[in-house]
Amino acid sequence: MDKKSLNEAEICDRYITPALRQAGWPLTQIRREYAFTAGAVRIRNKVADRGQRRRADYLLHGPADIPLAIIEAKDNRHGLGAGMEQALRYARALDVPFVFATNGDAFLLHDLTPGASPVEIEVALDNFPSPDELWKRYRAWKGMPPEQEKIARAPWHEAIDGKQPRYYQRIAVQRTIEAIARGERRRFLLVMATGTGKTYVAFQIIWRLRQAGTIKRVLFLADRDILADQAMNGDFQPFGNQIMTRVQNRQMGSSHEIYVALYQAISGSEAERNIYRQFPKDFFDLVVVDECHRGSAREDSAWRDILTWFEPAIQLGLTATPKETRDVSNQLWFGEPLYTYSLKQGIKDGFLAPYKVVRIHIDRDLEGWRPEFNQKDDRGQLIEDRIYNQLDMDKRLILDQRTALVARKVVEYLQAVDPFGKTIVFCEDIEHAQRLCSALRNEVTQHPALGPSDRYVVQITGDLDNKASLYDLAHRKYPVIATTSKLLSTGVDIRPCKLIVLDQRIESMIEFKQIIGRGTRIYEPANKLWFTIMDFKKATELFADPAFDGEPVVIYEPGVDDPPEPPEPPEEDDPDDTLKDPPPDKYRLSNVPVKVAAERVQYLDPSGRLITESITDHTKSRVTAAYPQLTDFLARWSEAERKTAIVDELRDQGVLFEALDEDLSKKVGGALDAFDLICHVVYGRPPLTRHERAARVRKRDVFAKYGPAARKVLDALLDKYADVGLPAVEDLGILQVQPFSDLGTPAELQKPFGGKAGYLKALRALEAALYESA
């Protein structure tokens, strides 16, 4: 058989895999069709689907599942190096040094290791490098002498449920293991977005280092009970209670090997409270600091005292939000990050949930409010005469009608999207959380189907015992809404969370990213692929900050003449933050009317940036980049065998068809398809609804040339187009659902057209009729 007549899969089966086997690669070290991303989630109005996964044709790996080489194959009608650029993108993402492209004639090798010469070289099919050869070259690349190979090759923990590390988790673990093996330094930093499994990465690092005999005793430091509990009851569970202990009641015995502790539990302002000092400085081999931005970045923190005491240990900092300011630095202590996996990349890979933003502006926030002369509040306090605006709301000025409005908008949204979608409402302080909890319960009573209001809405703040409520929020139907201040802003794993409400003025980029992280976890059992941020206080303006998703940059420049950094806000267990009554400088009024001044929905573009321009301007810029003139678009639409392919291309460029349709369909009185949305929004053409286009086809009686059986199928296709749009009509699977399944099997339905080819030809004719004279 002519090699050029073979498809890509046949080239792999007949030429590539045999060449690998001949070179000594066992099947256990060859992965075919290796998918390493989940496919980015695309929000489509109130539902979502996934884009394509990134998939390497071959991944070859060495000991400890270390990826060594990528092979990208093409059919023989392509040139030898046709797949090289794609393979290089995959290799850089996967931290793979050796990249091969092939069309079945030979291999083209690109060596990504520094100083490689030649960089690219052709390799015969029967001369592919063996596993030992690539492993030796890998060790040379990593600067790994044989005596350190044992550490790098240490086995992973294999979960009973078959859980495998994601590609970026493998990179984070392997880079850390190898850096420790080289012994070049003792402090390391991993920056990974919230929801990407930092604790799991820490567990695998600890597990593999213990398997290699490099470490024995480990101290895992957290700053919240819930973070320590999540570690012990989750990822760290395989260690077992015989070697692992939770430090409590200021007791820290020496008979265990894995210690999980709150830094508050082992340190204090008084020397006798620093119980960690009972251990020699070299007692621990490894100290892991979870959420290290919260304390260890500051030189005068209790964290830093602990790290300084155990300085002989290897120290690993974990954070989603490295703190780099003039006065505070993670990198000054831990060094530059070994690896960074960003929120943007997590969303692009499909491991993190994308989001849309609903910004709601309230008139009193924007326009301000000024008291009348000598006006007193509801408690008889004389109100200071000045203009109160958004900065004052719920800090200095409490407007009960504003609180009720926020509650109403939250419940309205849930009713429209998912009445039982888990929701966290971030408030200014505990007193505000109490009031908003009450307002939400009052609103929920207007909707009896939601259930008892005291079960539907709870307050989760630092002054309360929250363990039961936190568990129920994450795992049970009730509660649905939790109001909080700072307690849920970091570390807490509420995977089903679908709505984050910001009625809190946020000044810190770090705090903002931590809060948003509460929603970024995908949780498919609850159909949670995306989430919404409802913003009442312009907190999402921080999206425009280039640091939102940038690499951390060291700008630590302390000096005696520098202005001091503002103190961090108190944690929720601070007694000063647990006041149940408004302090005297807060004014409360129940009779000041408020209303929504503006409301706007915003989305992410394919690169992970929030779209801040209008949806119309955004669409125009994306479409005209591909089709500058209407004639260009019409020609491409007419030529395309599958119109859905054009729609998918434009989606990938960031066109949000569902958002456009949701806006325009209300104005024109019916749903529009992608063709009319583009022609109207981008080129100013009057649109036709799907029902209007279907009616025009029927009026012209374009089915007359077909027999009765074929006309029934075409008529049903036209109905489907009017109801659900063109993509469903172009999918052959539509013949397996009603009403088509009532008419016969797919083969029977295609028979009146002369078979599948005739059916597809008739479908193209139907589409041509839909857009005739468009």
Side-chain angles (χ1 to χ4, degrees), residues 531-576:
F531 70 105
T532 300
I533 302 167
M534 182 176 286
D535 181 13
F536 288 94
K537 290 193 175 176
K538 293 187 177 182
T540 50
E541 288 182 352
L542 289 172
F543 277 113
D545 191 314
F548 178 74
D549 196 45
E551 298 289 335
V553 178
V554 176
I555 54 174
Y556 182 84
E557 298 176 354
V560 293
D561 298 325
D562 292 335
E565 185 184 64
E568 292 187 356
E571 299 299 329
E572 288 230 349
D573 55 3
D574 190 319
D576 294 336

Coordinates of all heavy atoms in Angstrom, one line a residue, residues 531-576:
F531 N -18.1 30.0 37.3 CA -18.7 30.7 38.4 C -18.9 32.1 38.1 O -18.4 32.6 37.1 CB -17.9 30.5 39.7 CG -16.6 31.2 39.7 CD1 -16.4 32.4 40.5 CD2 -15.5 30.7 39.1 CE1 -15.2 33.0 40.5 CE2 -14.2 31.4 39.1 CZ -14.1 32.5 39.8
T532 N -19.6 32.8 38.9 CA -19.9 34.2 38.7 C -19.5 35.0 39.9 O -19.5 34.6 41.1 CB -21.5 34.4 38.6 OG1 -21.9 33.6 37.4 CG2 -21.8 35.9 38.4
I533 N -18.9 36.2 39.6 CA -18.6 37.2 40.6 C -19.6 38.3 40.5 O -19.7 38.9 39.5 CB -17.2 37.7 40.4 CG1 -16.1 36.6 40.4 CG2 -16.8 38.8 41.5 CD1 -14.8 37.0 39.9
M534 N -20.3 38.5 41.6 CA -21.3 39.6 41.7 C -20.7 40.7 42.5 O -20.4 40.5 43.7 CB -22.6 39.2 42.2 CG -23.7 40.3 42.3 SD -25.3 39.7 42.9 CE -25.9 38.7 41.4
D535 N -20.4 41.8 41.9 CA -19.6 42.9 42.5 C -20.4 44.1 42.8 O -20.9 44.8 41.8 CB -18.4 43.2 41.6 CG -17.4 44.2 42.2 OD1 -17.6 44.5 43.4 OD2 -16.6 44.7 41.4
F536 N -20.6 44.5 44.0 CA -21.3 45.7 44.4 C -20.4 46.9 44.7 O -20.9 48.0 44.8 CB -22.2 45.4 45.6 CG -23.4 44.5 45.3 CD1 -23.3 43.2 45.5 CD2 -24.6 45.0 44.8 CE1 -24.4 42.3 45.2 CE2 -25.7 44.2 44.5 CZ -25.6 42.9 44.7
K537 N -19.1 46.6 44.9 CA -18.2 47.7 45.4 C -17.0 47.9 44.5 O -15.9 48.3 45.0 CB -17.8 47.4 46.8 CG -19.0 47.6 47.8 CD -18.6 47.7 49.2 CE -19.8 48.0 50.1 NZ -19.5 48.0 51.5
K538 N -17.1 47.6 43.2 CA -16.0 47.9 42.2 C -14.7 47.1 42.6 O -13.7 47.5 42.2 CB -15.7 49.4 42.1 CG -16.9 50.2 41.5 CD -16.4 51.6 41.3 CE -17.5 52.5 40.6 NZ -17.1 53.8 40.4
A539 N -14.9 46.0 43.3 CA -13.7 45.3 43.7 C -13.0 44.7 42.4 O -11.8 44.6 42.4 CB -14.0 44.2 44.7
T540 N -13.8 44.4 41.4 CA -13.3 43.7 40.2 C -12.5 44.7 39.3 O -11.9 44.3 38.3 CB -14.4 43.0 39.4 OG1 -15.4 44.0 39.2 CG2 -14.9 41.8 40.1
E541 N -12.4 46.0 39.7 CA -11.5 46.9 39.0 C -10.1 46.4 39.1 O -9.2 46.8 38.3 CB -11.7 48.3 39.5 CG -13.0 48.9 39.1 CD -13.2 50.4 39.6 OE1 -12.3 50.8 40.4 OE2 -14.1 51.0 39.2
L542 N -9.8 45.6 40.1 CA -8.5 45.1 40.3 C -8.1 44.1 39.1 O -6.9 43.8 39.0 CB -8.3 44.3 41.6 CG -8.3 45.2 42.9 CD1 -8.4 44.4 44.1 CD2 -7.1 46.1 42.9
F543 N -9.1 43.7 38.3 CA -8.7 42.9 37.2 C -7.8 43.7 36.2 O -7.1 43.1 35.5 CB -10.0 42.5 36.4 CG -10.7 41.3 37.0 CD1 -12.0 41.4 37.6 CD2 -10.1 40.1 36.9 CE1 -12.6 40.3 38.1 CE2 -10.8 39.0 37.4 CZ -12.0 39.1 38.0
A544 N -8.0 45.0 36.2 CA -7.2 45.8 35.3 C -5.7 45.9 35.7 O -4.9 46.4 34.9 CB -7.8 47.2 35.1
D545 N -5.4 45.5 36.9 CA -4.1 45.6 37.4 C -3.2 44.5 36.7 O -3.5 43.4 36.7 CB -4.0 45.3 38.9 CG -2.7 45.7 39.5 OD1 -1.7 45.3 39.0 OD2 -2.7 46.4 40.6
P546 N -2.1 44.9 36.1 CA -1.3 43.9 35.4 C -0.7 42.9 36.3 O -0.3 41.8 35.8 CB -0.1 44.8 34.8 CG -0.1 46.0 35.6 CD -1.5 46.3 36.0
A547 N -0.7 43.1 37.6 CA -0.2 42.1 38.5 C -1.2 41.0 38.8 O -0.9 40.1 39.5 CB 0.2 42.8 39.9
F548 N -2.4 41.2 38.3 CA -3.4 40.2 38.6 C -3.0 38.8 38.2 O -3.2 37.8 38.9 CB -4.7 40.5 37.8 CG -5.8 39.5 38.1 CD1 -6.5 39.4 39.3 CD2 -6.1 38.5 37.2 CE1 -7.4 38.5 39.6 CE2 -7.1 37.6 37.4 CZ -7.8 37.6 38.6
D549 N -2.3 38.6 37.1 CA -1.9 37.3 36.7 C -0.4 37.3 36.3 O 0.0 36.5 35.5 CB -2.7 36.8 35.5 CG -2.6 35.3 35.3 OD1 -2.6 34.6 36.3 OD2 -2.4 34.9 34.2
G550 N 0.4 38.3 36.7 CA 1.8 38.4 36.3 C 2.7 37.6 37.2 O 2.3 37.1 38.2
E551 N 3.9 37.5 36.7 CA 4.9 36.8 37.5 C 5.3 37.7 38.7 O 5.4 38.9 38.5 CB 6.2 36.5 36.6 CG 5.9 35.6 35.4 CD 5.7 34.2 35.9 OE1 6.2 33.8 36.9 OE2 5.0 33.5 35.1
P552 N 5.6 37.1 39.8 CA 6.1 37.9 40.9 C 7.4 38.6 40.7 O 8.3 38.0 40.1 CB 6.2 36.9 42.1 CG 6.4 35.6 41.4 CD 5.6 35.7 40.1
V553 N 7.5 39.8 41.0 CA 8.7 40.6 40.8 C 9.2 41.1 42.1 O 8.5 41.7 42.9 CB 8.5 41.8 39.9 CG1 9.8 42.6 39.7 CG2 8.0 41.3 38.5
V554 N 10.5 40.9 42.5 CA 11.1 41.4 43.7 C 11.2 42.9 43.7 O 11.9 43.4 42.8 CB 12.4 40.7 44.0 CG1 13.0 41.3 45.3 CG2 12.3 39.2 44.1
I555 N 10.5 43.6 44.5 CA 10.6 45.0 44.6 C 10.9 45.4 46.1 O 10.6 46.5 46.5 CB 9.4 45.8 44.1 CG1 8.1 45.2 44.7 CG2 9.3 45.6 42.6 CD1 6.9 46.0 44.3
Y556 N 11.4 44.5 46.8 CA 11.7 44.7 48.3 C 12.8 45.7 48.5 O 13.9 45.5 48.1 CB 12.0 43.3 48.9 CG 12.3 43.4 50.4 CD1 11.2 43.3 51.3 CD2 13.6 43.5 50.9 CE1 11.4 43.3 52.6 CE2 13.8 43.5 52.3 CZ 12.7 43.4 53.1 OH 12.9 43.4 54.5
E557 N 12.4 46.9 49.0 CA 13.4 47.9 49.2 C 13.2 48.6 50.5 O 12.9 49.8 50.6 CB 13.3 49.0 48.0 CG 13.6 48.4 46.7 CD 13.3 49.5 45.6 OE1 12.8 50.6 45.9 OE2 13.6 49.2 44.4
P558 N 13.4 47.9 51.6 CA 13.2 48.6 52.9 C 14.2 49.6 53.2 O 15.4 49.5 52.8 CB 13.3 47.4 53.9 CG 14.2 46.4 53.2 CD 13.9 46.5 51.7
G559 N 13.8 50.6 53.9 CA 14.8 51.7 54.2 C 14.2 52.6 55.3 O 13.0 52.6 55.5
V560 N 15.1 53.2 56.0 CA 14.6 54.0 57.2 C 13.8 55.2 56.8 O 12.9 55.7 57.5 CB 15.9 54.5 58.0 CG1 16.6 53.4 58.6 CG2 16.8 55.4 57.1
D561 N 13.9 55.7 55.5 CA 13.1 56.8 55.1 C 11.9 56.4 54.4 O 11.1 57.3 54.0 CB 14.0 57.7 54.2 CG 15.2 58.3 54.9 OD1 15.0 58.6 56.1 OD2 16.2 58.4 54.3
D562 N 11.7 55.1 54.2 CA 10.5 54.7 53.5 C 9.3 54.8 54.3 O 9.3 54.6 55.5 CB 10.6 53.2 53.1 CG 11.7 53.0 52.0 OD1 12.0 53.9 51.3 OD2 12.2 51.8 52.0
P563 N 8.1 55.2 53.7 CA 6.9 55.3 54.5 C 6.5 53.9 54.9 O 6.6 52.9 54.1 CB 5.9 55.9 53.5 CG 6.5 55.6 52.1 CD 7.9 55.6 52.3
P564 N 6.0 53.7 56.1 CA 5.6 52.3 56.5 C 4.4 51.8 55.7 O 3.5 52.6 55.3 CB 5.2 52.5 58.0 CG 4.8 54.0 58.1 CD 5.7 54.7 57.1
E565 N 4.4 50.5 55.5 CA 3.3 49.9 54.8 C 2.1 49.9 55.7 O 2.2 49.6 56.9 CB 3.6 48.5 54.3 CG 2.5 47.8 53.5 CD 2.9 46.4 53.2 OE1 3.0 45.6 54.1 OE2 3.1 46.1 52.0
P566 N 0.8 50.1 55.3 CA -0.3 50.0 56.1 C -0.4 48.6 56.7 O -0.1 47.6 56.1 CB -1.5 50.3 55.1 CG -0.9 51.0 54.0 CD 0.5 50.5 53.9
P567 N -0.8 48.5 58.0 CA -0.9 47.2 58.6 C -1.9 46.3 57.9 O -2.9 46.8 57.4 CB -1.4 47.5 60.1 CG -2.0 48.9 59.9 CD -1.3 49.6 58.9
E568 N -1.7 45.0 57.9 CA -2.7 44.1 57.4 C -3.9 44.1 58.2 O -3.9 44.3 59.4 CB -2.1 42.7 57.3 CG -0.9 42.6 56.3 CD -0.5 41.1 56.2 OE1 -1.0 40.3 56.9 OE2 0.4 40.9 55.4
P569 N -5.1 43.9 57.6 CA -6.3 43.8 58.4 C -6.3 42.7 59.3 O -5.6 41.6 59.1 CB -7.4 43.6 57.3 CG -6.7 43.0 56.1 CD -5.3 43.6 56.2
P570 N -7.0 42.8 60.5 CA -6.9 41.7 61.5 C -7.6 40.5 61.0 O -8.5 40.5 60.2 CB -7.7 42.3 62.7 CG -8.6 43.4 62.0 CD -7.8 43.9 60.9
E571 N -7.1 39.3 61.5 CA -7.8 38.1 61.2 C -9.1 38.0 62.0 O -9.3 38.7 62.9 CB -6.9 36.9 61.6 CG -5.6 36.9 60.8 CD -5.7 36.8 59.3 OE1 -6.7 36.1 58.9 OE2 -4.9 37.3 58.6
E572 N -10.0 37.1 61.6 CA -11.3 37.1 62.2 C -11.3 36.5 63.6 O -12.3 36.6 64.3 CB -12.2 36.2 61.3 CG -12.6 36.9 60.0 CD -14.1 36.9 59.8 OE1 -14.8 36.2 60.5 OE2 -14.6 37.6 58.9
D573 N -10.2 36.0 64.0 CA -10.1 35.5 65.4 C -9.5 36.6 66.3 O -9.3 36.4 67.5 CB -9.4 34.2 65.6 CG -7.9 34.3 65.0 OD1 -7.6 35.4 64.5 OD2 -7.2 33.3 65.0
D574 N -9.3 37.8 65.8 CA -8.8 38.9 66.5 C -10.0 39.5 67.4 O -11.1 39.8 66.8 CB -8.3 40.0 65.6 CG -7.6 41.1 66.4 OD1 -8.1 41.5 67.4 OD2 -6.5 41.6 65.9
P575 N -9.9 39.6 68.7 CA -11.0 40.1 69.5 C -11.5 41.5 69.0 O -12.7 41.8 69.2 CB -10.4 40.2 70.9 CG -9.3 39.3 70.9 CD -8.7 39.3 69.5
D576 N -10.7 42.3 68.4 CA -11.1 43.6 68.0 C -12.1 43.5 66.8 O -12.7 44.5 66.4 CB -9.9 44.5 67.6 CG -9.1 44.8 68.8 OD1 -9.7 44.8 69.9 OD2 -7.9 45.1 68.6

